[in-house]
Amino acid sequence: MPRYAYPRPSRREITPESLYRNRRRFLQQSALLGCGAALPGLWPGAAYAWKEALAEAPASAFSTDESLTSLDDITSYNNFYEFGTRKRDPSDWAHYLQTDPWSVRIEGEVGKPGEFPLDEIVRAAWLEERIYRLRCVEGWSMVIPWIGFELRELLEYHQPTADADYVALETLYDPDNLRGQRRGIIDWPYREGLRLDEAMHPLTLLAVGLYDKPMPNQNGAPIRLVVPWKYGFKSIKSIVKIRLQKERPVSSWEADAPEEYGFYANVNPNVDHPRWSQARERRIGESGRRETLLFNGYEEEVAHLYEGMDLEEHF
Ligand SMILES: Nc1nc2c(c(=O)[nH]1)N[C@H]1C(S)=C(S)[C@@H](COP(=O)(O)O)O[C@H]1N2
Ligand SMILES: [Mo]
């Protein structure tokens, strides 16, 4: 596992034990609050307490100072093929996505597999002060103030085994409500994958909100991945399953068009997509184009993950 030479946004080292203790403490607290009238304003219903607190999330040390894309653009120009392939389809149809109840299952090469309700996962992260706000360029088109916690916190809790080399993630499959899944746009459910060291990098977030709100449905409610140094499609939405495994997973886009979409998908101005140049990009809401930066500007933080690899071959 590589060493991280830069400041970590998290305040404390988290052991699985302390995470567990906090889960238990939080559950006790919730139970107390649930049966009394304690602090009604602060805890409007224990199940939703974390949603009310998102505005207080402190800034990540990795945030850019680029100006933010408007909430309106962030929520009306989306890729979420579960609702159709047009940019407006997600804002038109994502209200059908059922996000409550929601749980995330962790399985495969882990010492402690299991499925936890989303509320429990997020509230445990809140208690440990591990929720923060990362302002970064997403999908090379928008600058979004995400709110979330490091994927590695969740993975560490479940104790990856020595054979856990890769992480495979899956989106909800629910064709009754996700109308795009009634058509064979891709092989559903949407799948993505990361190498374990990429998944354990502190920049890799599980985001549960943006601006001061819980995640809008069209952006991948209630929990989605954010991998700031990769192209947008790696950031899988509405995650229900995370599997650790020995073999490299095949992502949906790779399965669909392997010559166009590689497993790594690192933002790289020097490697063109077969049908277009990737040297320049346009921010939504801006008129001109700008030079694309290697690893989306996070070269210092992530380049060591790919030392010795030919990035034209492993695109
Ligand atoms: N489940 C799922 N996740 C997905 C997609 C999708 O179609 N389905 N599209 C991807 C692509 S191509 C991009 S660019 C980003 C867009 O995220 P945004 O709409 O929040 O900007 O989500 C990614 N995650
Ligand atoms: Mo994308």
Side-chain angles (χ1 to χ4, degrees):
M1 206 43 52
R3 197 171 46 82
Y4 302 118
Y6 30 80
R8 283 192 57 193
S10 308
R11 260 78 26 197
R12 279 179 263 172
E13 259 336 300
I14 306 306
T15 63
E17 283 67 32
S18 66
L19 190 55
Y20 172 71
R21 269 201 310 277
N22 275 297
R23 281 206 166 106
R24 223 176 35 186
R25 178 151 42 94
F26 202 90
L27 287 177
Q28 286 165 355
Q29 205 175 27
S30 300
L32 268 176
L33 292 167
C35 65
L39 307 176
L42 200 57
W43 300 94
Y48 292 100
W50 63 267
K51 296 185 183 173
E52 313 294 322
L54 290 176
E56 293 153 32
S60 158
F62 299 125
S63 290
T64 74
D65 49 17
E66 283 198 50
S67 50
L68 296 173
T69 304
S70 72
L71 182 62
D72 193 49
D73 281 340
I74 291 173
T75 54
S76 60
Y77 185 89
N78 300 102
N79 272 340
F80 199 170
Y81 279 15
E82 282 80 348
F83 298 102
T85 55
R86 289 169 302 187
K87 301 289 183 228
R88 287 217 72 107
D89 281 330
S91 58
D92 284 346
W93 299 104
H95 55 278
Y96 281 100
L97 174 65
Q98 303 296 314
T99 59
D100 189 19
W102 193 278
S103 57
V104 180
R105 158 169 291 280
I106 315 263
E107 59 179 41
E109 290 295 339
V110 283
K112 291 204 296 182
E115 181 164 339
F116 283 106
L118 181 78
D119 278 337
E120 208 182 310
I121 295 170
V122 180
R123 285 184 287 148
W126 255 121
L127 274 180
E128 282 287 352
E129 302 180 328
R130 292 179 293 107
I131 301 252
Y132 58 88
R133 186 186 312 263
L134 174 68
R135 172 194 290 226
C136 69
V137 182
E138 183 267 359
W140 72 339
S141 64
M142 303 198 257
V143 185
I144 300 183
W146 301 108
I147 303 168
F149 56 94
E150 295 165 23
L151 169 61
R152 63 180 264 173
E153 309 281 6
L154 186 63
L155 296 182
E156 279 170 3
Y157 172 80
H158 289 275
Q159 301 173 357
T161 72
D163 282 332
D165 291 336
Y166 292 93
V167 181
L169 304 103
E170 274 184 30
T171 293
L172 175 71
Y173 180 68
D174 180 15
D176 286 344
N177 291 303
L178 311 185
R179 64 201 313 268
Q181 289 181 336
R182 292 174 225 153
R183 298 194 280 141
I185 304 168
I186 60 165
D187 181 22
W188 307 111
Y190 193 100
R191 295 183 192 86
E192 260 307 339
L194 295 171
R195 221 171 51 192
L196 186 66
D197 57 352
E198 299 177 314
M200 298 295 261
H201 193 285
L203 264 172
T204 304
L205 280 201
L206 283 172
V208 294
L210 54 82
Y211 274 95
D212 289 344
K213 300 179 183 352
M215 190 64 69
N217 281 11
Q218 56 266 50
N219 295 91
I223 185 166
R224 67 165 291 166
L225 192 68
V226 175
V227 196
W229 70 95
K230 294 179 181 270
Y231 290 114
F233 62 88
K234 294 301 282 187
S235 292
I236 182 173
K237 295 174 165 179
S238 306
I239 298 164
V240 293
K241 195 165 93 177
I242 301 177
R243 185 182 175 79
L244 285 90
Q245 55 190 55
K246 183 83 182 154
E247 325 76 55
R248 188 168 97 176
V250 179
S251 67
S252 293
W253 290 112
E254 205 187 350
D256 192 65
E259 59 305 330
E260 298 192 22
Y261 304 103
F263 173 79
Y264 286 96
N266 291 319
V267 172
N268 190 339
N270 311 313
V271 177
D272 289 341
H273 183 277
R275 290 184 281 129
W276 55 76
S277 161
Q278 301 197 127
R280 299 168 77 71
E281 65 192 74
R282 187 176 78 86
R283 293 272 185 284
I284 302 306
E286 276 182 14
S287 49
R289 287 180 169 263
R290 52 166 82 208
E291 308 270 323
T292 289
L293 300 175
L294 184 61
F295 300 120
N296 222 6
Y298 289 107
E299 185 173 358
E300 205 180 308
E301 287 81 8
V302 302
H304 68 271
L305 298 175
Y306 310 104
E307 242 160 45
M309 283 176 65
D310 177 349
L311 296 180
E312 285 190 35
E313 185 190 340
H314 301 282
F315 62 91

